[in-house]
Structures are given as C-alpha cells and as structure tokens.
Amino acid sequence: MLRKGRNPSIEGAWFRQIMARMVSKRDGNVSRYGSIYGRLERSDLKKLTAKARRFTSPDETPFTADLPPPIIPPLSYPKILHPNDVNVNKSILSYYVHTCIPRITHNATLAIATANRARGIKGESEFDDDGNYGSAATVDVELLQAMSKRVHYGKFVSESKFRSKPSDFIPHIVKPNRVALEALIVKPEVERALLARVRKKATLYSQELDLQGEPLIIDGDVGRDGKIGEVRKGRFRVDVDAVEQLYENFLIPLTKEVEVDYLLQRLDGLSKEDIEALRTV
C-alpha cells in the first residue's frame, strides 16, 4: 500500500507473535522501541542500501545518521527542495511500535495463543513468539522506510504549491501562521479520494482466493454470479480497516505537518530582495 512492488504491510501481518511480543521477550529491560531502533542501527540491509546510494536520493530520509558512503558513482539529481531539516522519523518509529504492531498482529497473536493453550501452555508463555526474528526485522525496516518516504514526500508537495504562487504563502511564513498555511495546501476532496483508493487497494491485495483464483465468499455476498452474500470475516490477510485508519489518523495528518514545517523554513537564508522578488511571481 505504501509503495509499488512487494507489500511489506501484508507480509508483516504474518510475523505475528514476534511483532507483538518483543516488548518484553526474556528481558524486561528490552523494549520493542529499543529493539527496532537497534535493528535500524545495526541493520546490514540499511548499510547495503546506503552503499548502493539509496539515501543520496532526495526522497529518502534515513532513520540513523551513521551511514556508510556509497560505493557506486553518485547520480545527479535536480535541486528541487529548499535546504531544510524537517525529519519526523522519530514520530514514525514511535507510532509504528505503539500502534501499528499491536494492531496488525492482533488476530495472529490470539491465534497462536489459542494453539498454545490447546497444547497445555498457559499464562504468559502462551503468547510466546514464533522465532521469526530475521524476517520480522527485515519487514520492520522495509515498512518504516516506506512510511518515512511517503510522509516526507510532503516536502515536494509543499515546494510545488509554493512555486505555483509564492505570494499566497509568504505572508504566513514571514509571520508564522500554521493554520493559514495548512488551509492553502489541504484539499479535503483529495484526501477522501486517497482514503477510498487505499481501502480498495488493501482489499484487493489482501483477499484470500479460492483454487480458481476467485475471492472467497459465503452466503450473503454479491458474487460474480449475482448471488447476494457477505465477505467472511478473516478472509483478508491484513486488517483492511487498520490500513485505512493508518492513513486517515496518522500518515495523512503527519504528512500535513511535514508540509507546513517545510514551508515555515522555505524562506530561510533568502535576502529581503529575494523574498520581494518571489512576491511578484
């Protein structure tokens, strides 16, 4: 849902127990937050992609600063963004740990607990994880970087809107007015269309199919044969509501924050003459 190609948001839902249980796995002092941040710090995947010049791209914002230099020649990117230090990766990491993980692993965690109780394992141990540490770590890094890219792309959106009519923005930047700046960039109809598209993509990508490749339905759903039916609960590989709410309650609002934060820095370093010249564009 966050980018084309492999879908880590769906894959992440399969690494159930590990995603929810790293909060206190065998060490009450090791938090999920610290665990994931440690993975980001030590991740060979991060180092490999950095060497492959991933983080020289202007639309990538790394979670950590200790990146190895690229080992292949750099690409020449056009200068689009104004110099800025807008970075909300800490907020993304915190939300991922405290909200995303418990939500996307909820059903799977309950399923493994039920299976463990049937085997006589009860209490705290029934929620033990499945040991998929490597796979979970890979999905963590992929999801976090995809969320970061999506949110920080708001800077490009703000730059485009600023260039279209700088005179509308300059007064609210010179005398900082976040409400006025947000009103200039927010289009509710676009947000509604985005949420509808996100929900549709989540539904289509995560459907369980029968042996003929058709979506699984039961009595009550409207199938291709025209019969009325209802989609069986649990026939989706991910919680479609959770994906939509991720965008509605976090990604979209945080992207707007990034857009406004960027605009508030858009005139930094410019002379009065430069600013006045922009007013006439």
Side-chain angles (χ1 to χ4, degrees), residues 172-245:
H172 307 305
I173 299 174
V174 174
K175 293 183 177 180
N177 187 332
R178 298 187 66 92
V179 174
L181 288 173
E182 183 172 324
L184 288 171
I185 59 178
V186 171
K187 294 185 181 295
E189 66 277 11
V190 173
E191 291 184 11
R192 289 193 294 270
L194 171 62
L195 288 172
R197 182 170 176 268
V198 164
R199 185 174 187 85
K200 186 172 184 179
K201 288 183 71 174
T203 301
L204 292 174
Y205 286 179
S206 64
Q207 284 186 98
E208 291 284 7
L209 306 179
D210 61 22
L211 294 178
Q212 287 71 46
E214 297 294 335
L216 287 172
I217 57 177
I218 59 173
D219 292 340
D221 190 34
V222 179
R224 292 190 178 183
D225 57 2
K227 293 182 179 180
I228 297 177
E230 180 182 355
V231 176
R232 187 194 302 273
K233 185 177 181 181
R235 290 300 188 180
F236 295 93
R237 296 177 65 189
V238 296
D239 184 339
V240 174
D241 290 335
V243 175
E244 182 181 19
Q245 290 165 17

Side-chain angles (χ1 to χ4, degrees), residues 33-51 54-56 60-69 87-93 140-141 144-145 148 152:
Y33 184 97
S35 174
I36 293 180
Y37 194 80
R39 291 179 194 167
L40 290 169
E41 286 282 0
R42 299 185 297 271
S43 171
D44 287 337
L45 176 62
K46 178 200 72 172
K47 295 175 183 177
L48 176 63
T49 55
K51 290 180 179 180
R54 175 178 186 174
F55 297 109
T56 63
E60 294 281 3
T61 305
F63 280 79
T64 56
D66 60 332
L67 297 172
N87 186 333
V88 294
N89 277 345
K90 287 184 178 180
S91 297
I92 293 172
L93 177 59
D140 281 341
V141 173
L144 285 165
Q145 203 63 55
S148 172
H152 289 102

Side-chain angles (χ1 to χ4, degrees), residues 64-269:
T64 56
D66 60 332
L67 297 172
I71 60 175
I72 55 179
L75 295 175
S76 177
Y77 293 101
K79 187 178 182 299
I80 297 176
L81 296 179
H82 188 74
N84 68 93
D85 61 3
V86 178
N87 186 333
V88 294
N89 277 345
K90 287 184 178 180
S91 297
I92 293 172
L93 177 59
S94 179
Y95 184 87
Y96 180 72
V97 171
H98 297 295
T99 302
C100 288
I101 290 171
R103 180 69 183 270
I104 67 176
T105 63
H106 176 73
N107 291 337
T109 300
L110 292 179
I112 197 66
T114 299
N116 280 337
R117 286 195 298 274
R119 293 159 48 206
I121 301 173
K122 297 182 179 180
E124 187 70 16
S125 297
E126 69 189 57
F127 291 97
D128 200 9
D129 63 64
D130 58 8
N132 283 312
Y133 305 119
S135 299
T138 299
V139 171
D140 281 341
V141 173
E142 285 194 57
L143 272 171
L144 285 165
Q145 203 63 55
M147 292 170 67
S148 172
K149 185 173 184 177
R150 197 273 176 208
V151 168
H152 289 102
Y153 204 80
K155 292 191 280 187
F156 292 88
V157 174
S158 282
E159 179 65 24
S160 174
K161 293 181 177 180
F162 177 86
R163 290 188 186 187
S164 67
K165 200 168 184 181
S167 58
D168 286 351
F169 293 88
I170 289 175
H172 307 305
I173 299 174
V174 174
K175 293 183 177 180
N177 187 332
R178 298 187 66 92
V179 174
L181 288 173
E182 183 172 324
L184 288 171
I185 59 178
V186 171
K187 294 185 181 295
E189 66 277 11
V190 173
E191 291 184 11
R192 289 193 294 270
L194 171 62
L195 288 172
R197 182 170 176 268
V198 164
R199 185 174 187 85
K200 186 172 184 179
K201 288 183 71 174
T203 301
L204 292 174
Y205 286 179
S206 64
Q207 284 186 98
E208 291 284 7
L209 306 179
D210 61 22
L211 294 178
Q212 287 71 46
E214 297 294 335
L216 287 172
I217 57 177
I218 59 173
D219 292 340
D221 190 34
V222 179
R224 292 190 178 183
D225 57 2
K227 293 182 179 180
I228 297 177
E230 180 182 355
V231 176
R232 187 194 302 273
K233 185 177 181 181
R235 290 300 188 180
F236 295 93
R237 296 177 65 189
V238 296
D239 184 339
V240 174
D241 290 335
V243 175
E244 182 181 19
Q245 290 165 17
L246 167 65
Y247 274 81
E248 183 176 15
N249 299 331
F250 184 68
L251 292 180
I252 291 176
L254 189 61
T255 300
K256 288 189 284 191
E257 288 183 30
V258 165
E259 291 174 352
V260 173
D261 288 344
Y262 174 81
L263 287 170
L264 290 173
Q265 297 185 28
R266 183 57 180 78
L267 303 180
D268 290 359

